[in-house]
Amino acid sequence: MTSDAQGNRPLTEEELQELVASSDAGARNPVGSVGLFLAIVAVIWSVFQVIQASPLSNVILPGSVVNNSRQIHLAFAIFLAYAAYPALKTSPRGHIPIQDWLFAIAGAGIALYGYIFYQKIVNSGGLADDVDKWFALAGLVLLFEAARRALGPAMAIIATIFLLYVFFGSSEVVPEVIRWKGASLKKAMSHMWITSEGVFGIALGVSTKFVFLFVLFGALLDKAGAGNYFIKMAFGALGHLRGGPAKAAVVGSAATGLISGSSIANVVTTGTFTIPLMKRVGFSNEQAGAVEVASSVNGQIMPPVMGAAAFLMVEYTGISYVQVITHAFLPAAISYVALIYIVHLEAVKQNMPTLGNREVHLARTILGMFSFFAVFAGLCYGSQFPVEVAYAWAPSIAGLLMFVSVMLVYLWLLALAAKTPDLEPDDPNAQEVELPDISKIYTAGLYYLLPIIVLVYFLMIEQKSPGLSAFWATALLFVILLTQKPLKAVFRGQSNLAQTFVEGFADLWQGMIDGARNMIGIALATAAAGVIVGTVTLTGVGQVMAELVEGMAFGLTYISAMFVHAISPVTDLIGITSFEGTVAERAADMTGTILVFVLLCVGLLSLVLGMGLPTTANYIVVSSLMAGVVVELGAQSGLIVPLIAVHLFVFYFGIMADVTPPVGLASFAAAAVSGGDAIRTGFVAFFYSLRTVALPFVFIFNTDLLLIDVTWAQGILVAISATIAILVFTAGTMGYFLTRSRIYESVLLVLVAFTLFRPDFFMNRIMPPFADVAPIELVEALSASHEGQEIRLRIEGPDFDTGGAASTTLVIPSDGSGDGLAMAEGIGLVLLPEDGLMKLDAPGFGTPAEQTLGNFDFYGDEPVKVTAIKAPQDQLPKELVFIPALLLLALVALMQRSRASKEGVPA
């Protein structure tokens, strides 16, 4: 907490930087030769990662280094963790105790065990011997302690519990439902440390290959001055509007969130300027802090970085990076639109004054911002055309031509920037607040957009790997940091070239140090989370979790069905329902409830774990345990849930933990800046973030929001309707639209928002999209289908592992050939029509059907059979539901406009 004798007070700049350092980069910062040594280690780590990501890595680095880069990556992280993070609050900050030196060296050495004894491990097939297992156990202990220092105790405690489960999972103390046979120390250590199934698994590999470069890219871009430029531009564009400082905070945090994965750093970076100004125009301490928290935390859902989660999603879902950020973009964008609207409504409700003396032109402001982003997107997209010309004209030197072109553009933009004085951070506490004039300052930082354009070009146009794309963007930043100050001096006719070059080198040096220190926590989080992932793969507890959650969900559904059955005479009498059947039949009809229950469990689990885990680790843990469960239970409910939708769901709730009281760290950081109460700040921030809670449920059931399988025209319509929906939802939950809403008006607004988000919910009840077909008529249904349509099969049978009843949904895409039997065989189905039933034999190995039906027992006494078929049928466009929704919105607007005019409410 940040309190003194008088109560809460804002922290000083020095105290804020210490807060960020202690949470993100380590509170210890020794000076002298030791400090220089640690700085050199951090820079070496950065240089190593840059070389590894370069196209020449296989030439510069030995093969053994490339093959064991994860071990080297973790060795740097553990060494710097013990050096930078004190063991206890009372531990020294100015020097490193001898025991920490020993732990650092031992931890780094054991992390390199797989590199040093690489040949021995290869020859043994990855199986630990009696020596290996003790080194591996010591490595885990040192890793957990490093994680405790850098990430807090929760990560180490959770990883330890999972490791104990590996050893003692067969104990009678363990509940029978999750009991397993247990593992020996040798087997466990082989899995966790020697092979790539545990600590050195996918998560640490992503941290090594991709995340470091993006974190370094963000640190260098901020060191170059881009962060201050973005904030000034946002403040200049929006500061003159009502609630302008808060709107500038939202846009500024979105911009910094593009390049930063730390909620706390975002809060402090932009909040030290925006929070005092928000308080100045009428926001309370808690409201000002909450706006900054909501906008800074949401920076993690904004592509392309997404707090390192985007790269993990690539590995876990098996889709490309371009697809991941395409799916993630629209929810993130409308979430920020909603936050700006929340700020606007708060300002209107309190009739807040505007800052400065500039005339307010809202339409011009919106048009200007839209034009800026449109031009930027156009430049990113248009960059491919000169490249194509260069490769067509001179393919042998096209790369060199593009490098020269980028340098010429950089020199031109830098010459423009030199005509404007360097941008200095404004004082938010000054008596007179002077808004930046965008027309005068925008040229001062246009060259900061060049590395971002290069990054987007390689990612989206060339579709290179994230690591290689970040390498080229980072290499350009190296050039910018080294040359921007000397070249500006030349353009300005100054003679202090040597001094400016030294300053540029110092900026580059410090940027590489900052990038490395910011990576310590992420590297340790991914490594420690590898223990949890390894436990899931070794013990099979993930399948047990699926069965446990499924059982709880079915129990809840059955209880709900009993209640519905009990009151059905009344509901049938008054016409609410007309369903007839037993409780079991009602429960079967309510299977959609199961998925909602599971999603609530996943969201709650993410929130609880996120109270002690960083976002990346939280995402790894929950997605490893529950992503497959949600997909499987969705299939059992007849809903095909794309894996990326589940991973984004988990990630969204993971970042909410940074907001949610009582532990939300970003809320504490914002309260430290504002001087407000941290708990109240967290509650207000959670209220402002309701849209971040609602959106994941929306895109699970309406994947159009993730732009999955939509055309360009459909995508534009989805973007427009989703934007209107999120604005209406915001107005409904804030209790203010054109004036203060009455309760029934808020309910109607939320209903309108739901309709715009889920038009299929209503259209499917008016005109069902599927018709029921008898299972025995499967071949005929496939033969009658048109190209692009999907036939959904409900399949039931005995589970291979438990022998109990299992069910799932299999989707067969139609090729329009009219040969239903060939289509079924094409995905691996072996049909056995018999006695009026469509029985199935074991599907072909490696076929789509085998992947979906692999858990069924095809050799038992009970057959595996098709129990229901859903064939697509004609349906009116679901977008027609928008018409009554918009009419209802217009009705609410008319009612409120009439009341507002009578009450004299300001616009």
Side-chain angles (χ1 to χ4, degrees), residues 471-495:
F471 165 78
W472 289 116
T474 302
L476 179 56
L477 271 174
F478 278 23
V479 174
I480 290 175
L481 279 163
L482 287 173
T483 62
Q484 63 172 345
K485 290 183 177 179
L487 288 175
K488 279 184 181 179
V490 171
F491 290 134
R492 290 168 178 167
Q494 299 169 349
S495 58

Side-chain angles (χ1 to χ4, degrees), residues 77-278:
I78 291 181
F79 182 88
L80 289 174
Y82 281 106
Y85 289 89
L88 304 168
K89 291 183 179 179
T90 56
S91 299
R93 300 292 196 268
H95 71 277
I96 303 174
I98 184 65
Q99 67 269 20
D100 283 356
W101 280 115
L102 295 176
F103 288 147
I105 294 170
I110 298 177
L112 292 171
Y113 189 84
Y115 170 62
I116 298 170
F117 298 101
Y118 177 71
Q119 200 58 48
K120 169 191 170 185
I121 291 171
V122 169
N123 293 337
S124 68
L127 298 176
D129 58 24
D130 290 330
V131 175
D132 298 336
K133 69 181 182 182
W134 294 113
F135 273 97
L137 183 61
L140 285 176
V141 172
L142 289 168
L143 170 62
F144 289 172
E145 168 58 14
R148 182 196 68 80
R149 295 186 181 202
L151 308 170
M155 184 79 244
I157 291 172
I158 293 172
T160 302
I161 291 172
F162 272 80
L163 190 61
L164 291 174
Y165 173 69
V166 170
F167 294 130
F168 305 109
S170 59
S171 170
E172 293 184 359
V173 178
V174 178
E176 186 175 355
V177 69
I178 61 170
R179 195 177 300 164
W180 84 297
K181 63 182 181 180
S184 66
L185 179 63
K186 187 181 294 187
K187 181 178 181 181
M189 292 303 101
S190 294
H191 196 81
M192 296 298 179
W193 197 268
I194 303 301
T195 70
S196 59
E197 295 292 327
V199 169
F200 300 101
I202 289 175
L204 188 64
V206 169
S207 176
T208 305
K209 290 191 297 183
F210 306 141
V211 179
F212 193 106
L213 262 292
F214 279 84
V215 171
L216 179 62
F217 174 78
L220 293 175
L221 194 57
D222 184 64
K223 202 65 187 173
N228 182 47
Y229 175 70
F230 291 152
I231 292 172
K232 276 187 171 289
M233 289 290 290
F235 190 52
L238 300 169
H240 63 291
L241 301 176
R242 183 170 292 172
K247 293 171 182 174
V250 174
V251 175
S253 294
T256 55
L258 290 171
I259 56 175
S260 169
S262 169
S263 302
I264 296 173
N266 284 355
V267 166
V268 173
T269 300
T270 58
T272 49
F273 174 69
T274 58
I275 287 177
L277 289 175
M278 282 190 264

Side-chain angles (χ1 to χ4, degrees), residues 536-549:
V536 173
T537 59
L538 179 62
T539 66
V541 71
Q543 183 61 36
V544 175
M545 287 287 292
E547 294 170 1
L548 182 62
V549 173

Side-chain angles (χ1 to χ4, degrees), residues 210 214 217 258 303-305 310-311 314 320-326 380 383 451-473:
F210 306 141
F214 279 84
F217 174 78
L258 290 171
V305 179
F311 316 111
V314 170
S320 71
Y321 180 80
V322 173
Q323 289 176 291
V324 168
I325 60 178
T326 299
C380 292
S383 59
I452 301 175
I453 292 174
V454 168
L455 177 65
V456 173
Y457 168 77
F458 278 104
L459 280 174
M460 304 297 290
I461 307 299
E462 290 283 342
Q463 296 196 12
K464 300 293 186 183
S465 73
L468 184 61
S469 303
F471 165 78
W472 289 116

Side-chain angles (χ1 to χ4, degrees), residues 555-567 582-588 590:
L556 179 69
T557 305
Y558 200 83
I559 292 171
S560 302
M562 289 178 63
F563 174 75
V564 172
H565 188 78
I567 67 171
T582 65
V583 172
E585 290 170 331
R586 292 180 186 273
M590 296 172 64

